[in-house]
Amino acid sequence: EDQVTQSPEALRLQEGESSSLNCSYTVSGLRGLFWYRQDPGKGPEFLFTLYSAGEEKEKERLKATLTKKESFLHITAPKPEDSATYLCAVQAGANNLFFGTGTRLTVIP
Amino acid sequence: DTAVSQTPKYLVTQMGNDKSIKCEQNLGHDTMYWYKQDSKKFLKIMFSYNNKELIINETVPNRFSPKSPDKAHLNLHINSLELGDSAVYFCASSQLVGAGPQHFGDGTRLSIL
């Protein structure tokens, strides 16, 4: 059965304290892994797509990496405005986008 | 310009009522989706339409009926609302079926009294 697990559930960082969020997955025939950011009261906002092991994508303070079993979202020197819930989703088989339950990140000034 | 817009943003209603949520996208995408996000923030796909045709129909009660009048619109009608239907419903769209990122609206928070 397809499964996506994100850890930790919640993470509190001091401003400038770098860290990583984990997304581990077990799916048949991965077609893509997606990272989204979700702010309270808003819909998920697309960040990155990764398609194959070894691939990396970067955007400002965020860097996403992919292996055959997991993806990491590295946050370098985070700022308070990076506080949000970060969702990982995988696309396998036909059309389904299967989401994890997210990591709630809080960056304290 | 809002890319994927949903109305209403909030919906508070009684058990047993029928309600609809509307979704429109101006991205020119061919595929649209409905997701349900529960109280634990878990997002689960309900339906997917490609160019007005139903592609995915997950295990959803038949009280939920999507309708796509054209490829830019996907509405969700819910009959005989139950307490367990309380959730946030998100509409999304993507350029391709089964590939590429999906772009989400800001959700409709449905509360059943």
Side-chain angles (χ1 to χ4, degrees), chain B:
Chain B
D1 264 354
T2 305
V4 181
S5 58
Q6 297 178 227
T7 54
K9 189 167 175 66
Y10 300 97
L11 195 46
V12 181
T13 190
Q14 305 263 353
M15 250 174 45
N17 283 351
D18 303 339
K19 289 294 178 186
S20 292
I21 307 171
K22 294 187 176 182
C23 179
E24 176 181 1
Q25 54 95 3
N26 63 7
L27 296 167
H29 289 165
D30 284 345
T31 309
M32 295 184 73
Y33 311 82
W34 277 111
Y35 285 85
K36 179 179 181 180
Q37 189 171 47
D38 62 24
S39 55
K40 295 186 178 179
K41 305 296 185 187
F42 181 60
L43 260 173
K44 187 171 182 182
I45 189 154
M46 300 172 69
F47 301 102
S48 162
Y49 267 74
N50 178 249
N51 207 6
K52 302 192 298 175
E53 199 174 310
L54 181 65
I55 301 294
I56 293 173
N57 182 354
E58 290 294 320
T59 309
V60 175
N62 58 14
R63 298 182 294 103
F64 291 78
S65 52
K67 282 189 174 52
S68 182
D70 56 61
K71 71 177 191 178
H73 295 84
L74 180 63
N75 304 323
L76 182 66
H77 188 77
I78 316 170
N79 288 327
S80 304
L81 281 157
E82 300 178 357
L83 287 174
D85 298 332
S86 295
V88 183
Y89 293 84
F90 286 98
C91 176
S93 72
S94 65
Q95 181 68 42
L96 301 171
V97 177
Q102 295 178 15
H103 299 268
F104 286 78
D106 282 339
T108 295
R109 182 174 293 277
L110 174 62
S111 299
I112 311 299
L113 303 177

Side-chain angles (χ1 to χ4, degrees), chain A residues 12-24:
Chain A
R12 287 172 66 89
L13 299 173
Q14 288 292 134
E15 185 172 359
E17 180 187 1
S18 301
S19 187
S20 295
L21 314 182
N22 177 264
C23 171
S24 62

Side-chain angles (χ1 to χ4, degrees), chain A residues 18-104:
Chain A
S18 301
S19 187
S20 295
L21 314 182
N22 177 264
C23 171
S24 62
Y25 61 91
T26 50
V27 296
S28 307
L30 179 73
R31 297 184 63 177
L33 185 141
F34 302 84
W35 282 99
Y36 287 84
R37 169 192 171 127
Q38 187 174 20
D39 292 297
K42 298 286 188 180
E45 176 190 345
F46 170 69
L47 294 173
F48 304 109
T49 309
L50 301 165
Y51 291 106
S52 56
E55 193 174 355
E56 298 182 354
K57 294 270 177 76
E58 275 188 78
K59 181 181 178 180
E60 295 179 0
R61 295 176 292 283
L62 300 176
K63 179 179 174 181
T65 62
L66 181 65
T67 71
K68 287 188 178 178
K69 292 185 178 180
E70 57 191 351
S71 176
F72 291 93
L73 185 65
H74 307 276
I75 304 178
T76 302
K79 298 182 177 182
E81 53 262 42
D82 295 322
S83 297
T85 295
Y86 290 85
L87 298 168
C88 168
V90 296
Q91 197 153 43
N95 308 298
N96 290 2
L97 198 61
F98 192 80
F99 278 85
T101 49
T103 294
R104 190 173 66 255

